[in-house]
PDB file of all heavy atoms in Angstrom:
ATOM      1  N   ARG W 114       4.223   9.621  29.845  1.00 97.00           N
ATOM      2  CA  ARG W 114       5.523  10.030  29.147  1.00 97.00           C
ATOM      3  C   ARG W 114       6.707   9.816  29.996  1.00 97.00           C
ATOM      4  O   ARG W 114       7.901   9.578  29.579  1.00 97.00           O
ATOM      5  CB  ARG W 114       5.388  11.426  28.713  1.00 97.00           C
ATOM      6  CG  ARG W 114       4.452  11.694  27.594  1.00 97.00           C
ATOM      7  CD  ARG W 114       4.651  13.079  27.057  1.00 97.00           C
ATOM      8  NE  ARG W 114       3.537  13.473  26.193  1.00 97.00           N
ATOM      9  CZ  ARG W 114       3.486  13.208  24.816  1.00 97.00           C
ATOM     10  NH1 ARG W 114       4.468  12.563  24.243  1.00 97.00           N
ATOM     11  NH2 ARG W 114       2.427  13.624  24.094  1.00 97.00           N
ATOM     12  N   ALA W 129      15.188  12.170  23.603  1.00 97.00           N
ATOM     13  CA  ALA W 129      15.527  13.550  23.982  1.00 97.00           C
ATOM     14  C   ALA W 129      15.890  13.633  25.442  1.00 97.00           C
ATOM     15  O   ALA W 129      15.389  12.905  26.133  1.00 97.00           O
ATOM     16  CB  ALA W 129      14.325  14.516  23.582  1.00 97.00           C
ATOM     17  N   ILE W 152      10.356  21.542  25.309  1.00 96.00           N
ATOM     18  CA  ILE W 152       8.988  21.275  25.156  1.00 96.00           C
ATOM     19  C   ILE W 152       8.385  20.659  26.498  1.00 96.00           C
ATOM     20  O   ILE W 152       8.991  19.655  27.012  1.00 96.00           O
ATOM     21  CB  ILE W 152       8.467  20.259  23.982  1.00 96.00           C
ATOM     22  CG1 ILE W 152       9.142  20.688  22.750  1.00 96.00           C
ATOM     23  CG2 ILE W 152       7.048  20.305  23.949  1.00 96.00           C
ATOM     24  CD1 ILE W 152       8.789  19.894  21.533  1.00 96.00           C
ATOM     25  N   LYS W 154       5.566  18.781  28.227  1.00 96.00           N
ATOM     26  CA  LYS W 154       4.378  17.888  27.801  1.00 96.00           C
ATOM     27  C   LYS W 154       3.783  17.273  29.012  1.00 96.00           C
ATOM     28  O   LYS W 154       4.561  16.812  29.937  1.00 96.00           O
ATOM     29  CB  LYS W 154       5.010  16.765  26.982  1.00 96.00           C
ATOM     30  CG  LYS W 154       5.674  17.186  25.757  1.00 96.00           C
ATOM     31  CD  LYS W 154       6.182  15.927  24.980  1.00 96.00           C
ATOM     32  CE  LYS W 154       6.807  16.288  23.679  1.00 96.00           C
ATOM     33  NZ  LYS W 154       7.341  15.099  22.920  1.00 96.00           N
ATOM     34  N   TYR W 160      -1.915  13.864  22.955  1.00 64.00           N
ATOM     35  CA  TYR W 160      -1.967  13.292  21.672  1.00 64.00           C
ATOM     36  C   TYR W 160      -2.000  14.373  20.594  1.00 64.00           C
ATOM     37  O   TYR W 160      -2.572  15.470  20.934  1.00 64.00           O
ATOM     38  CB  TYR W 160      -3.040  12.295  21.373  1.00 64.00           C
ATOM     39  CG  TYR W 160      -4.442  12.892  21.281  1.00 64.00           C
ATOM     40  CD1 TYR W 160      -5.025  13.116  20.186  1.00 64.00           C
ATOM     41  CD2 TYR W 160      -5.083  13.133  22.519  1.00 64.00           C
ATOM     42  CE1 TYR W 160      -6.250  13.555  20.017  1.00 64.00           C
ATOM     43  CE2 TYR W 160      -6.384  13.699  22.514  1.00 64.00           C
ATOM     44  CZ  TYR W 160      -6.888  13.987  21.237  1.00 64.00           C
ATOM     45  OH  TYR W 160      -8.157  14.504  21.187  1.00 64.00           O
ATOM     46  N   ASP W 161      -1.503  14.110  19.433  1.00 61.00           N
ATOM     47  CA  ASP W 161      -1.489  15.126  18.265  1.00 61.00           C
ATOM     48  C   ASP W 161      -1.186  16.636  18.779  1.00 61.00           C
ATOM     49  O   ASP W 161      -1.673  17.559  18.409  1.00 61.00           O
ATOM     50  CB  ASP W 161      -2.989  15.121  17.561  1.00 61.00           C
ATOM     51  CG  ASP W 161      -3.101  13.910  16.763  1.00 61.00           C
ATOM     52  OD1 ASP W 161      -2.084  13.125  16.587  1.00 61.00           O
ATOM     53  OD2 ASP W 161      -4.236  13.706  16.393  1.00 61.00           O
ATOM     54  N   GLY W 162      -0.133  16.691  19.644  1.00 66.00           N
ATOM     55  CA  GLY W 162       0.324  17.951  20.157  1.00 66.00           C
ATOM     56  C   GLY W 162      -0.494  18.605  21.199  1.00 66.00           C
ATOM     57  O   GLY W 162      -0.030  19.650  21.711  1.00 66.00           O
ATOM     58  N   GLN W 165       0.826  20.292  25.156  1.00 92.00           N
ATOM     59  CA  GLN W 165       2.240  20.536  25.072  1.00 92.00           C
ATOM     60  C   GLN W 165       2.389  22.009  24.960  1.00 92.00           C
ATOM     61  O   GLN W 165       1.547  22.678  24.307  1.00 92.00           O
ATOM     62  CB  GLN W 165       2.744  19.919  23.805  1.00 92.00           C
ATOM     63  CG  GLN W 165       2.614  18.457  23.735  1.00 92.00           C
ATOM     64  CD  GLN W 165       3.343  17.812  22.623  1.00 92.00           C
ATOM     65  OE1 GLN W 165       4.187  18.557  21.922  1.00 92.00           O
ATOM     66  NE2 GLN W 165       3.206  16.602  22.366  1.00 92.00           N
ATOM     67  N   GLU W 189      11.136  18.072  27.807  1.00 97.00           N
ATOM     68  CA  GLU W 189      11.992  17.485  26.846  1.00 97.00           C
ATOM     69  C   GLU W 189      12.769  18.492  26.111  1.00 97.00           C
ATOM     70  O   GLU W 189      12.337  19.518  25.618  1.00 97.00           O
ATOM     71  CB  GLU W 189      11.139  16.723  25.850  1.00 97.00           C
ATOM     72  CG  GLU W 189      10.776  15.329  25.988  1.00 97.00           C
ATOM     73  CD  GLU W 189      10.039  14.795  24.825  1.00 97.00           C
ATOM     74  OE1 GLU W 189      10.274  15.124  23.707  1.00 97.00           O
ATOM     75  OE2 GLU W 189       9.067  14.077  25.206  1.00 97.00           O
ATOM     76  N   GLY W 190      14.123  18.167  25.937  1.00 97.00           N
ATOM     77  CA  GLY W 190      14.823  18.931  24.973  1.00 97.00           C
ATOM     78  C   GLY W 190      14.280  19.026  23.709  1.00 97.00           C
ATOM     79  O   GLY W 190      13.897  17.901  23.190  1.00 97.00           O
ATOM     80  N   PHE W 191      14.482  20.157  22.936  1.00 96.00           N
ATOM     81  CA  PHE W 191      13.964  20.171  21.597  1.00 96.00           C
ATOM     82  C   PHE W 191      14.893  19.400  20.656  1.00 96.00           C
ATOM     83  O   PHE W 191      16.229  19.730  20.679  1.00 96.00           O
ATOM     84  CB  PHE W 191      13.852  21.699  21.184  1.00 96.00           C
ATOM     85  CG  PHE W 191      13.137  21.766  19.820  1.00 96.00           C
ATOM     86  CD1 PHE W 191      11.772  21.691  19.692  1.00 96.00           C
ATOM     87  CD2 PHE W 191      13.998  21.863  18.642  1.00 96.00           C
ATOM     88  CE1 PHE W 191      11.330  21.742  18.333  1.00 96.00           C
ATOM     89  CE2 PHE W 191      13.496  21.908  17.310  1.00 96.00           C
ATOM     90  CZ  PHE W 191      12.208  21.914  17.249  1.00 96.00           C
ATOM     91  N   VAL W 192      14.509  18.596  19.899  1.00 96.00           N
ATOM     92  CA  VAL W 192      15.351  17.778  19.051  1.00 96.00           C
ATOM     93  C   VAL W 192      15.451  18.258  17.575  1.00 96.00           C
ATOM     94  O   VAL W 192      14.298  18.391  16.961  1.00 96.00           O
ATOM     95  CB  VAL W 192      14.874  16.201  19.014  1.00 96.00           C
ATOM     96  CG1 VAL W 192      15.761  15.409  18.038  1.00 96.00           C
ATOM     97  CG2 VAL W 192      14.824  15.615  20.291  1.00 96.00           C
ATOM     98  N   PHE W 194      15.599  17.378  14.712  1.00 97.00           N
ATOM     99  CA  PHE W 194      15.653  16.139  13.804  1.00 97.00           C
ATOM    100  C   PHE W 194      15.659  16.399  12.263  1.00 97.00           C
ATOM    101  O   PHE W 194      15.091  17.424  11.824  1.00 97.00           O
ATOM    102  CB  PHE W 194      14.472  15.176  14.227  1.00 97.00           C
ATOM    103  CG  PHE W 194      13.076  15.779  14.071  1.00 97.00           C
ATOM    104  CD1 PHE W 194      12.487  15.814  12.765  1.00 97.00           C
ATOM    105  CD2 PHE W 194      12.475  16.363  15.144  1.00 97.00           C
ATOM    106  CE1 PHE W 194      11.275  16.443  12.714  1.00 97.00           C
ATOM    107  CE2 PHE W 194      11.090  16.879  14.987  1.00 97.00           C
ATOM    108  CZ  PHE W 194      10.475  16.925  13.833  1.00 97.00           C
ATOM    109  N   GLU W 197      11.212  12.293  10.858  1.00 98.00           N
ATOM    110  CA  GLU W 197      10.477  11.436  11.816  1.00 98.00           C
ATOM    111  C   GLU W 197      10.130  10.175  11.228  1.00 98.00           C
ATOM    112  O   GLU W 197       9.700  10.088  10.068  1.00 98.00           O
ATOM    113  CB  GLU W 197       9.118  12.300  12.180  1.00 98.00           C
ATOM    114  CG  GLU W 197       9.325  13.487  12.998  1.00 98.00           C
ATOM    115  CD  GLU W 197       8.108  14.045  13.607  1.00 98.00           C
ATOM    116  OE1 GLU W 197       7.606  13.380  14.613  1.00 98.00           O
ATOM    117  OE2 GLU W 197       7.597  14.960  13.099  1.00 98.00           O
ATOM    118  N   HIS W 220       4.399  15.467   9.639  1.00 96.00           N
ATOM    119  CA  HIS W 220       3.293  16.068  10.410  1.00 96.00           C
ATOM    120  C   HIS W 220       2.949  17.551   9.878  1.00 96.00           C
ATOM    121  O   HIS W 220       3.923  18.325   9.533  1.00 96.00           O
ATOM    122  CB  HIS W 220       3.588  16.085  11.869  1.00 96.00           C
ATOM    123  CG  HIS W 220       3.725  14.663  12.462  1.00 96.00           C
ATOM    124  ND1 HIS W 220       4.830  14.043  12.401  1.00 96.00           N
ATOM    125  CD2 HIS W 220       2.805  13.958  13.139  1.00 96.00           C
ATOM    126  CE1 HIS W 220       4.533  12.816  12.995  1.00 96.00           C
ATOM    127  NE2 HIS W 220       3.389  12.843  13.368  1.00 96.00           N
ATOM    128  N   HIS W 223       0.967  19.318  13.943  1.00 89.00           N
ATOM    129  CA  HIS W 223       1.062  18.253  14.865  1.00 89.00           C
ATOM    130  C   HIS W 223       0.216  17.021  14.567  1.00 89.00           C
ATOM    131  O   HIS W 223       0.124  16.014  15.309  1.00 89.00           O
ATOM    132  CB  HIS W 223       0.568  18.674  16.325  1.00 89.00           C
ATOM    133  CG  HIS W 223       1.483  19.665  16.955  1.00 89.00           C
ATOM    134  ND1 HIS W 223       2.646  19.212  17.527  1.00 89.00           N
ATOM    135  CD2 HIS W 223       1.432  21.002  17.102  1.00 89.00           C
ATOM    136  CE1 HIS W 223       3.237  20.275  18.040  1.00 89.00           C
ATOM    137  NE2 HIS W 223       2.592  21.324  17.802  1.00 89.00           N
ATOM    138  N   GLU W 262       7.498   5.526  17.614  1.00 98.00           N
ATOM    139  CA  GLU W 262       7.893   6.755  16.882  1.00 98.00           C
ATOM    140  C   GLU W 262       9.276   7.270  17.258  1.00 98.00           C
ATOM    141  O   GLU W 262       9.588   7.267  18.361  1.00 98.00           O
ATOM    142  CB  GLU W 262       6.879   7.815  17.173  1.00 98.00           C
ATOM    143  CG  GLU W 262       5.430   7.475  16.660  1.00 98.00           C
ATOM    144  CD  GLU W 262       4.468   8.567  16.812  1.00 98.00           C
ATOM    145  OE1 GLU W 262       4.639   9.676  16.271  1.00 98.00           O
ATOM    146  OE2 GLU W 262       3.574   8.276  17.592  1.00 98.00           O
ATOM    147  N   PHE W 264      12.829   9.970  16.209  1.00 98.00           N
ATOM    148  CA  PHE W 264      13.496  10.987  15.380  1.00 98.00           C
ATOM    149  C   PHE W 264      14.758  10.567  14.795  1.00 98.00           C
ATOM    150  O   PHE W 264      15.422   9.783  15.566  1.00 98.00           O
ATOM    151  CB  PHE W 264      13.706  12.252  16.213  1.00 98.00           C
ATOM    152  CG  PHE W 264      12.535  12.840  16.984  1.00 98.00           C
ATOM    153  CD1 PHE W 264      12.556  13.032  18.282  1.00 98.00           C
ATOM    154  CD2 PHE W 264      11.411  13.210  16.215  1.00 98.00           C
ATOM    155  CE1 PHE W 264      11.457  13.519  18.930  1.00 98.00           C
ATOM    156  CE2 PHE W 264      10.242  13.814  16.875  1.00 98.00           C
ATOM    157  CZ  PHE W 264      10.362  13.891  18.215  1.00 98.00           C
ATOM    158  N   ASN W 277      10.871   8.830  20.418  1.00 97.00           N
ATOM    159  CA  ASN W 277       9.860   9.815  20.992  1.00 97.00           C
ATOM    160  C   ASN W 277       8.780   9.075  21.764  1.00 97.00           C
ATOM    161  O   ASN W 277       8.690   9.362  22.981  1.00 97.00           O
ATOM    162  CB  ASN W 277       9.232  10.629  19.741  1.00 97.00           C
ATOM    163  CG  ASN W 277       8.310  11.697  20.323  1.00 97.00           C
ATOM    164  OD1 ASN W 277       8.503  12.156  21.473  1.00 97.00           O
ATOM    165  ND2 ASN W 277       7.270  11.978  19.532  1.00 97.00           N
ATOM    166  N   GLU W 278       8.004   8.237  21.164  1.00 96.00           N
ATOM    167  CA  GLU W 278       6.987   7.581  21.979  1.00 96.00           C
ATOM    168  C   GLU W 278       6.544   6.290  21.406  1.00 96.00           C
ATOM    169  O   GLU W 278       6.771   5.956  20.307  1.00 96.00           O
ATOM    170  CB  GLU W 278       5.706   8.607  22.172  1.00 96.00           C
ATOM    171  CG  GLU W 278       5.099   8.987  20.819  1.00 96.00           C
ATOM    172  CD  GLU W 278       3.882   9.840  21.172  1.00 96.00           C
ATOM    173  OE1 GLU W 278       3.740  10.272  22.269  1.00 96.00           O
ATOM    174  OE2 GLU W 278       3.268  10.267  20.154  1.00 96.00           O
TER     175      GLU W 278
HETATM  176  P1  AMP Y   3       4.160  13.937  20.506  1.00 77.55           P
HETATM  177  O1  AMP Y   3       2.919  14.341  20.999  1.00 77.55           O
HETATM  178  O2  AMP Y   3       5.212  13.666  21.530  1.00 77.55           O
HETATM  179  O3  AMP Y   3       3.990  12.721  19.501  1.00 77.55           O
HETATM  180  O4  AMP Y   3       4.754  15.204  19.584  1.00 77.55           O
HETATM  181  C1  AMP Y   3       4.049  15.536  18.467  1.00 77.55           C
HETATM  182  C2  AMP Y   3       4.979  16.109  17.423  1.00 77.55           C
HETATM  183  O5  AMP Y   3       5.709  17.208  18.018  1.00 77.55           O
HETATM  184  C3  AMP Y   3       6.096  15.139  17.038  1.00 77.55           C
HETATM  185  O6  AMP Y   3       5.700  14.278  16.008  1.00 77.55           O
HETATM  186  C4  AMP Y   3       7.183  16.058  16.603  1.00 77.55           C
HETATM  187  O7  AMP Y   3       6.987  16.572  15.309  1.00 77.55           O
HETATM  188  C5  AMP Y   3       7.114  17.175  17.611  1.00 77.55           C
HETATM  189  N1  AMP Y   3       7.986  16.980  18.670  1.00 77.55           N
HETATM  190  C6  AMP Y   3       7.631  16.243  19.867  1.00 77.55           C
HETATM  191  N2  AMP Y   3       8.622  16.184  20.755  1.00 77.55           N
HETATM  192  C7  AMP Y   3       9.698  16.907  20.163  1.00 77.55           C
HETATM  193  C8  AMP Y   3      11.040  17.175  20.599  1.00 77.55           C
HETATM  194  N3  AMP Y   3      11.429  16.729  21.785  1.00 77.55           N
HETATM  195  N4  AMP Y   3      11.722  17.948  19.787  1.00 77.55           N
HETATM  196  C9  AMP Y   3      11.270  18.306  18.554  1.00 77.55           C
HETATM  197  N5  AMP Y   3       9.982  18.127  18.123  1.00 77.55           N
HETATM  198  C10 AMP Y   3       9.294  17.414  18.994  1.00 77.55           C
END
Side-chain angles (χ1 to χ4, degrees):
R114 290 187 193 275
I152 307 182
K154 301 181 177 181
Y160 66 96
D161 287 349
Q165 299 190 12
E189 260 182 47
F191 185 83
V192 178
F194 56 81
E197 290 193 76
H220 291 83
H223 291 283
E262 296 181 62
F264 301 127
N277 181 30
E278 62 180 3

